[in-house]
Amino acid sequence: MQAIAEMPISGNTKIIPILADPIAHVQTPRIMNSLLRKANYDAICVPFHVAAANLSQCLASLRLIPSIAGAVITVPHKMAMCALSDIQGAQAQIIGAVNAIRFDENRQVHGEMFDGKGFVQGLIQADVRVDATRRVYMAGAGGVARGIAFALLANGVKYLQLYNRSTDKAIQLIAELKAFAPDAEIVLADATPYQVDLCINASSAGMLGALEQVLPFQLDRLDQQCCVAEVVMKPSQTLLLQQASARAMKTVSGQAMLMAQVGQLAAFILDAPELAQLAF
């Protein structure tokens, strides 16, 4: 009852679903609702468990409910929702994925991607340099990985190793990244990074549930100066981060990405630019 008293819900309250499958790991509702309360904004974020096969039907239903302002989009829907969006923002057009949608007055879907910018900002806030001096390895080639890869290159990174269990997807992403940043060295890697100083897990490996004990890559050939960063939100200390910490490496958890972008997500979905400055 205390939570309801803190965030009263009325007929005017705007609803922001977060669409995911699985859903248990999501942290966005807790953090976004705290920020919305802080801003005294009449909106609430709630989890919606939506299977990939039902995404288009779900979107069609959401269009019919004016109380729903838009939605946060997460695994595995980011690329599919981009294709379903009527209007794609600048980042969505480059990356081919979205992590937020907004309905306009005609209930058209506007999609945009904030993962990459949020992840890079989270690294910087954790005192990790992201520039041309940084040699980066990344595991993953899905929606979140695409956003991060393009953001790294846009921020000046000139060397990137890319690994994905599905090699074809990695090769396709590398070709797109090279077209975006032709002066950068972008190479196909395996599951054992080396000669890099920043390693990123941008895959679902390590996520709470069936993948919790899965490592996205090995740390054996990395030295102690390498930083290891995660996108997985739950558990906050994944098996990868535990192993990196045991080797005295600097780590950055998946929470950093979310904390750096949640205000931007709320601002976009609610079409309220002032919310972009919200932070803890």
Side-chain angles (χ1 to χ4, degrees):
M1 294 302 293
Q2 183 179 5
I4 295 175
E6 291 176 357
M7 179 175 269
I9 297 175
S10 72
N12 294 318
T13 302
K14 293 298 182 184
I15 310 300
I16 303 172
I18 175 168
L19 312 184
D21 182 21
I23 197 74
H25 66 285
V26 300
Q27 300 293 304
T28 304
R30 175 180 59 84
I31 298 171
M32 184 175 287
N33 289 333
S34 294
L35 292 177
L36 291 169
R37 283 197 297 270
K38 180 179 178 181
N40 197 30
Y41 202 97
D42 191 9
I44 186 169
C45 181
V46 292
F48 278 29
H49 191 174
V50 180
N54 298 328
L55 184 63
S56 61
Q57 289 177 289
C58 174
L59 181 62
S61 298
L62 298 181
R63 285 184 192 264
L64 303 177
I65 307 173
S67 296
I68 295 178
V72 179
I73 311 300
T74 190
V75 176
H77 303 312
K78 296 183 181 187
M79 296 175 71
M81 185 60 81
C82 185
L84 291 170
S85 298
D86 301 310
I87 300 167
Q88 299 169 353
Q91 290 297 302
Q93 291 179 40
I94 294 171
I95 297 163
V98 302
N99 72 329
I101 60 169
R102 175 180 74 235
F103 294 110
D104 64 21
E105 61 276 9
N106 298 315
R107 303 304 284 174
Q108 290 191 107
V109 179
H110 297 247
E112 187 56 297
M113 171 57 85
F114 298 90
D115 273 345
K117 184 178 179 180
F119 188 86
V120 168
Q121 187 60 36
L123 288 174
I124 293 170
Q125 290 174 356
D127 296 323
V128 177
R129 292 179 61 183
V130 183
D131 55 27
T133 68
R134 186 66 64 178
R135 295 174 62 86
V136 183
Y137 170 98
M138 187 178 73
V144 64
R146 293 174 65 84
I148 291 171
F150 280 101
L152 289 168
L153 297 174
N155 223 66
V157 169
K158 299 298 184 186
Y159 181 82
L160 175 63
Q161 295 180 13
L162 186 65
Y163 164 70
N164 191 62
R165 284 176 293 179
S166 172
T167 302
D168 290 347
K169 287 185 67 176
I171 292 172
Q172 179 182 345
L173 178 54
I174 288 171
E176 295 177 39
L177 294 171
K178 285 183 175 179
F180 176 75
D183 59 335
E185 184 179 356
I186 308 164
V187 299
L188 184 66
D190 60 23
T192 308
Y194 67 99
Q195 295 181 344
V196 292
D197 45 31
L198 172 60
C199 285
I200 300 166
N201 175 34
S203 75
S204 57
M207 183 184 294
L208 188 69
L211 298 175
E212 193 168 354
Q213 297 303 309
V214 177
L215 281 171
F217 51 83
Q218 301 297 319
L219 303 176
D220 300 341
R221 299 180 66 183
L222 299 173
D223 63 38
Q224 196 179 73
Q225 304 307 311
C226 186
C227 174
V228 177
E230 266 282 11
V231 301
V232 171
M233 305 286 179
K234 195 172 184 180
S236 60
Q237 289 299 306
T238 61
L239 180 61
L240 177 68
L241 294 186
Q242 291 176 39
Q243 291 194 2
S245 295
R247 295 169 181 253
M249 295 175 171
K250 181 180 179 66
T251 63
V252 181
S253 74
Q255 293 284 338
M257 177 177 71
L258 179 57
M259 299 294 281
Q261 69 170 306
V262 70
Q264 298 170 15
L265 292 171
F268 174 79
I269 294 167
L270 296 166
D271 198 16
E274 67 276 11
L275 296 179
Q277 305 307 314
L278 288 178
F280 283 109

